[in-house]
């Protein structure tokens, strides 16, 4: 009922309000609303705000207390609000304008806001000014404060444009940097891939230019070292194959017409027996046996067979040089069945007899064998004139048969071809006269490093 009286009082126009000094009818407007209601009632329109309250006593209604604020007073009151409130608009319960700040003059703001509410739109579109509305529960009046947008709409659109362009620019920059890094990373990989393809085609001389110290430069350096080692291994393999081919050619040359030699030696042997010359028969028999074993197809024979062949050869040389030397065996029993390359010992003993005992009487050749771990150590030592340092140097640097020691070179080349470059002949220095040649072989083809064990049991 109170709200109805307030609405009825607010429905009067400005012409209905009494002037100051005039009598006010008690059944009119705000007084009637105060008489019918309780407490203070308010009414206002077109720049005037009135409040009234009925005063009652024990005898009934005594009178009214009335307050009126005109537009000027309302403007002064609204202008006293803090600056943060911006422009202020005072509206009645039906959003009819009662008063406004001076800054809002010339604007039909109340009608515009009421129209937006009736259409269901928000008071602010988010880009322009913001509106803050508060309704008083006592008076039913609305106080609308307009806060100007800190940034104009066109400025916000410009900021959004700049923001979008910045994002696009950053994305473009990131893509450009990523592509640059990709080229920097994949270009060396592409070069390395091409180089690997050339190496696969057999171009081992391929090298890459190394610049810098990063991981790719280290990879390029390792590639260069790998190709250099492959090239060295290939050259070494070709060299070893050539040496093997030369050895095979010499072996095949030695096998030419063996039956003719057998028949000739057999004839010489029987002529020696018929003419009662046992030395000729022995030499022919021994030589035939040596020839048969030397041209056999077996590459490895037990050490016992190699020693038997050596005895045949020494028997021939003993007949040729009677009393000049003797052969002594110092063979460990556990070494006699170990396989060794055939004709390994005969050239070494021959070298001692022909060169070591040239001006020596009572010479001795000691052949010894010793098993050390997984290696067989065989030494051939004589007490002859020995080898000079120049002869030893020439042997160690010899690369072909034409350069000097034919027998030593052939044995050394065969051992290296069979067992690898870390094996072969080694000339061991002696304190006294003579020469000591040591052979170190892996047992059953096992790879092992030579042991520096002196000259075996003979030295």
């Amino acid at each position: 009922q109170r709200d109805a009286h307030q609405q009825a009082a607010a429905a009067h126009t400005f012409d209905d309000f009494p002037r100051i000094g005039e009598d006010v009818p008690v059944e009119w407007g705000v007084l009637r609303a105060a008489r019918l209601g309780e407490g203070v009632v308010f009414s206002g329109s077109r720049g005037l705000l009135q409040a009234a309250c009925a005063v009652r006593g024990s005898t009934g209604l005594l009178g009214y207390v009335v307050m009126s604020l005109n537009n000027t007073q309302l403007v002064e009151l609204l202008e006293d609000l803090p600056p943060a409130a911006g422009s202020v608009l005072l509206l009645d319960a039906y959003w009819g304008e009662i008063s406004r700040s001076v800054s809002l003059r010339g604007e039909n703001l109340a009608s515009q806001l009421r129209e937006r509410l009736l259409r269901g739109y928000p008071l602010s579109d988010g880009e322009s000014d913001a509106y803050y509305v508060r309704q008083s529960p006592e008076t039913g009046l609305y106080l609308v404060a307009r806060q100007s947008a800190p940034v104009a709409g066109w400025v916000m659109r410009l900021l959004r444009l700049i923001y979008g362009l910045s994002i696009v620019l950053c994305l473009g920059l990131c893509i450009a940097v990523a592509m640059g890094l990709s080229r920097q990373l994949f270009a060396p990989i592409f070069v390395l891939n091409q180089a690997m393809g050339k190496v696969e085609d057999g171009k081992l001389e391929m090298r890459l230019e190394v610049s810098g110290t990063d991981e790719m430069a280290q990879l390029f350096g390792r590639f260069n070292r790998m190709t250099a080692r492959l090239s060295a291994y290939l050259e070494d393999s070709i060299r070893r194959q050539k040496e093997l081919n030369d050895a095979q050619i010499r072996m095949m040359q030695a096998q030419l017409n063996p039956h003719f030699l057998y028949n000739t030696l057999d004839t010489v042997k029987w002529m020696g027996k018929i003419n009662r010359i046992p030395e000729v028969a022995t030499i022919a028999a021994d030589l035939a046996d040596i020839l048969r074993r030397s041209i056999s197809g077996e590459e490895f024979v037990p050490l016992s067979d190699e020693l038997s062949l050596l005895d045949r050869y020494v028997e021939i040389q003993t007949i040729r040089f009677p009393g000049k030397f003797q052969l002594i065996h110092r063979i460990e029993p556990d070494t006699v069945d170990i396989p060794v390359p055939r004709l390994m010992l005969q050239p070494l003993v021959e070298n001692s007899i022909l060169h070591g005992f040239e001006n020596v009487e009572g010479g001795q050749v000691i052949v010894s064998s010793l098993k050390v771990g997984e290696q067989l150590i065989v030494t051939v030592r004589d007490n002859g004139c020995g080898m000079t340092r120049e002869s030893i140097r020439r042997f160690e640097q010899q690369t072909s048969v034409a350069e000097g020691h034919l027998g030593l070179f052939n044995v050394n080349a065969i051992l290296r071809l069979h067992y690898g470059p870390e094996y072969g002949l080694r000339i061991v220095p002696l304190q006294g006269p003579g020469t000591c040649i040591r052979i170190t072989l892996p047992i059953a083809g096992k790879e092992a490093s030579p042991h520096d064990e002196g000259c075996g049991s003979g030295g």
Side-chain angles (χ1 to χ4, degrees), residues 37-53:
E38 295 180 359
V40 182
V41 296
F42 296 85
S43 177
S45 179
R46 296 187 180 183
L48 182 63
L49 176 63
Q50 285 188 331
C53 178

Side-chain angles (χ1 to χ4, degrees), residues 251-270 283-295:
M251 182 186 68
M252 289 186 291
Q253 289 175 345
Q255 292 176 343
L256 294 176
N257 201 8
H259 293 289
F260 169 75
L261 295 177
Y262 286 152
N263 294 335
T264 302
L265 292 174
D266 188 62
T267 301
V268 172
K269 180 184 70 173
W270 285 108
I283 292 175
D286 291 340
L287 185 59
D289 190 26
I290 293 174
L291 179 62
R292 178 180 59 81
R293 297 190 185 187
S294 63
I295 63 175

